[in-house]
Amino acid sequence: MAYKRNHSKIQSEKTKFRRTSKWMKFRKMMKAAQVVDPITGSRLSPTCNLHHKDLNPDHYTDISDKEKFVCLNKTSHDVVHFLWQAHCGWRKAVLSLVAILKSMERINKM
């Protein structure tokens, strides 16, 4: 779903919100509760991202539902956004990625 608002204004509002004590406390609480990156299984880094699953910019400051957030290490966070924005759609992109990895596994006899 596309949200039609000025992109730079939205980014500015998001940055401002992430500097608030409300956000910092919420992020700290979420990180303490999660500990592990769910994609890689590795321990969360001190600089992990608290990812908003709800991409509607009007909901960005609503931290009332913890299910709408997940802690991710930087590369995992980048991958989630990369796949979400894939031209062919995230489902097809993930299936193609799995096929490539399976092929690599076979070739490398793992």
Side-chain angles (χ1 to χ4, degrees):
M1 178 180 288
Y3 299 99
K4 301 197 183 214
R5 286 178 50 201
N6 181 307
H7 182 70
S8 61
K9 182 173 172 47
I10 292 169
Q11 287 307 113
S12 175
E13 291 170 1
K14 288 178 178 183
T15 300
K16 185 176 177 183
F17 176 67
R18 288 192 307 268
R19 291 183 182 140
T20 65
S21 63
K22 175 182 170 181
W23 173 256
M24 288 188 231
K25 287 176 189 171
F26 181 67
R27 181 182 177 280
K28 184 177 180 179
M29 182 264 308
M30 290 292 289
K31 187 176 175 213
Q34 189 177 323
V35 182
V36 171
D37 180 309
I39 294 174
T40 64
S42 62
R43 189 164 184 78
L44 289 171
S45 72
T47 59
C48 70
N49 293 283
L50 182 54
H51 174 69
H52 287 73
K53 296 180 198 175
D54 182 348
L55 299 179
N56 182 335
D58 294 332
H59 301 165
Y60 196 81
T61 61
D62 180 2
I63 59 174
S64 62
D65 184 356
K66 292 186 279 189
E67 290 298 313
K68 293 184 178 181
F69 299 87
V70 63
C71 291
L72 299 168
N73 285 329
K74 181 180 181 349
T75 302
S76 295
H77 189 240
D78 292 345
V79 167
V80 167
H81 280 280
F82 175 77
L83 292 171
W84 182 257
Q85 297 169 4
H87 180 71
C88 62
W90 71 265
R91 286 176 178 85
K92 185 173 182 192
V94 168
L95 290 173
S96 297
L97 177 60
V98 168
I100 291 167
L101 292 171
K102 283 182 175 180
S103 176
M104 290 173 65
E105 183 177 56
R106 180 181 44 76
I107 291 165
N108 293 287
K109 298 170 181 35
M110 296 183 82

